[in-house]
Amino acid sequence: MIIKPLGERVLIKQTEQEEVTKSGIVLPGTASKEKPIIGEVLAVGSKIEEVKVGDKVIFEKYSGTEVKDGEENYLILEKDNVLAIVE
């Protein structure tokens, strides 16, 4: 399936985040209770100039619409839900 966001929307694939405890134990993203808030931009709507395909971004925790394509999960977000670009 090809997903192309319209207008001021962004298609994001959430990245797994590792958490490190105070004692140095690394917890994989699947063990985390929180939803990931960092993702990679896969596609952008025609009205967006600030974010480009391939950018890693921080977005609001409980925003967007989840879309599933086979085994992969994606989010479609409004431009205003993208908070920052990670460099």
Side-chain angles (χ1 to χ4, degrees):
M1 169 173 24
I2 297 173
I3 302 170
K4 183 174 179 180
L6 300 175
E8 293 188 346
R9 292 182 180 83
V10 179
L11 178 68
I12 292 181
K13 180 177 181 187
Q14 294 175 305
T15 56
E16 294 294 325
Q17 295 175 305
E18 291 183 342
E19 245 182 85
V20 180
T21 64
K22 291 181 182 179
S23 61
I25 298 172
V26 176
L27 301 173
T30 54
S32 177
K33 298 177 205 166
E34 300 287 327
K35 287 178 66 171
I37 58 166
I38 296 178
E40 181 179 353
V41 176
L42 300 178
V44 295
S46 60
K47 295 183 178 182
I48 295 182
E49 297 177 8
E50 299 93 346
V51 180
K52 298 179 182 109
V53 173
D55 284 348
K56 292 209 183 285
V57 295
I58 297 173
F59 53 90
E60 291 182 356
K61 191 176 287 190
Y62 298 107
S63 61
T65 301
E66 292 185 15
V67 178
K68 187 169 185 170
D69 182 22
E71 296 291 318
E72 298 293 329
N73 289 324
Y74 303 102
L75 278 176
I76 298 176
L77 302 172
E78 293 285 336
K79 176 184 79 169
D80 294 339
N81 295 128
V82 177
L83 303 175
I85 297 173
V86 179
E87 294 183 351

